Amino acid sequence: MDVRGGGASLRLTAPDTSVLDNAVWAALTGPHAHLADRVGHAARYPDDVYAVAALADPGDPAAWADLLTLVGPGTTVRIKPVDRVPDGWEVLGGGEGVQLVGTALRAEPAPEAVRLGPDDVPEILDLVARTRPGPFRRRTIALGTYLGIRDRGRLIALAGERLRPPGWTEISAVCTDPAHRGRGLATRLVRAVAAGIRERGDTPFLHAGADNTNAIRLYESIGFTRRLRSPVLLVRSPGTSQESRVL
């Protein structure tokens, strides 16, 4: 596959969208199973990859019991899509995202883009810290392909792959250095990442903060369609831990 995204035509038939209702769980029990820490009906990514957990059925008390076994007592964990918790669990915060599917997105390579690897992580973390596109950890790059654009050797724009539910791949970490915005770099990288996704037979999707109206407007303008609103909670598990932990 061309590391810059390769050529890809518009996919006319999208896969089953129902797996996107619980995209984290579908990824952790599907293409990303090799990355999953799992107990029964609860699973999570390693903290240095993507600090989030998921349940097979957020309405099932047994799944929450499995999550407690997985993370231990008194542990803070981010979980989605969840909007309520059982007795004993404490909600520390939360938010809501908008899920968009790219069935009408035109995918095409970006000749100036380069594939990023583990040696580029310090630069990626610096760009993410300055632009705040969402969480990116030391080993997040293990989730999929990440492409970047450099200016005189310096990384100025980024986009890559995160969740991989069967038939779908999430585009994430889309960001541009503030000094280089207005040049369409993010759009070119989104199209290039999408081209690579389509080459292997998947369809791109993504999430944006529900209050990030500018990003949502941009994604809709290039061929993404809103599908649903996705709640996320930061919760603390029941009990007291001898060591305070955040996962």
Side-chain angles (χ1 to χ4, degrees):
M1 184 182 76
D2 188 330
V3 298
R4 296 171 300 180
S9 59
L10 177 65
R11 181 173 184 155
L12 298 178
T13 303
D16 176 22
T17 60
S18 65
V19 297
L20 299 182
D21 294 345
N22 196 350
V24 178
W25 176 258
L28 284 167
T29 56
H32 282 168
H34 64 287
L35 294 170
D37 296 327
R38 181 177 175 184
V39 172
H41 293 98
R44 71 181 183 194
Y45 285 97
D47 183 51
D48 62 351
V49 174
Y50 181 28
V52 70
L55 305 175
D57 178 2
D60 180 8
W64 286 93
D66 287 340
L67 182 61
L68 177 57
T69 300
L70 179 63
V71 304
T75 300
T76 300
V77 60
R78 191 174 305 276
I79 182 168
K80 63 181 183 180
V82 168
D83 57 8
R84 60 180 62 87
V85 301
D87 291 343
W89 290 78
E90 180 183 0
V91 176
L92 303 177
E96 191 173 48
V98 173
Q99 184 184 90
L100 302 98
V101 294
T103 52
L105 173 68
R106 188 181 80 250
E108 60 187 7
E112 71 272 45
V114 296
R115 184 165 183 166
L116 303 174
D119 290 345
D120 300 301
V121 167
E123 274 191 287
I124 294 173
L125 292 174
D126 175 70
L127 180 61
V128 167
R130 289 185 287 111
T131 57
R132 302 177 66 85
F136 195 100
R137 302 297 182 95
R138 183 174 57 85
R139 288 203 303 129
T140 297
I141 203 163
L143 294 174
T145 298
Y146 282 81
L147 302 180
I149 294 175
R150 295 184 177 277
D151 181 67
R152 286 172 287 187
R154 184 167 181 254
L155 185 66
I156 60 169
L158 168 71
E161 301 172 356
R162 190 167 62 183
L163 298 177
R164 284 193 62 188
W168 298 84
T169 299
E170 180 190 27
I171 297 177
S172 183
V174 181
C175 58
T176 302
D177 186 302
H180 295 271
R181 289 175 181 166
R183 296 166 51 187
L185 301 181
T187 297
R188 295 209 293 275
L189 285 176
V190 167
R191 293 192 192 280
V193 173
I197 291 170
R198 287 215 174 100
E199 278 189 350
R200 65 168 179 263
D202 280 3
T203 298
F205 76 108
L206 53 74
H207 292 94
D211 59 351
N212 193 348
T213 55
N214 289 336
I216 293 170
R217 189 179 302 114
L218 170 64
Y219 293 138
E220 289 180 325
S221 74
I222 63 174
F224 284 90
T225 302
R226 295 190 215 196
R227 180 175 177 269
L228 55 74
R229 297 175 79 93
S230 177
V232 56
L233 290 181
L234 184 67
V235 303
R236 180 181 290 124
S237 59
T240 303
S241 175
Q242 292 182 346
E243 179 181 353
S244 177
R245 297 185 297 165
V246 178
L247 299 177

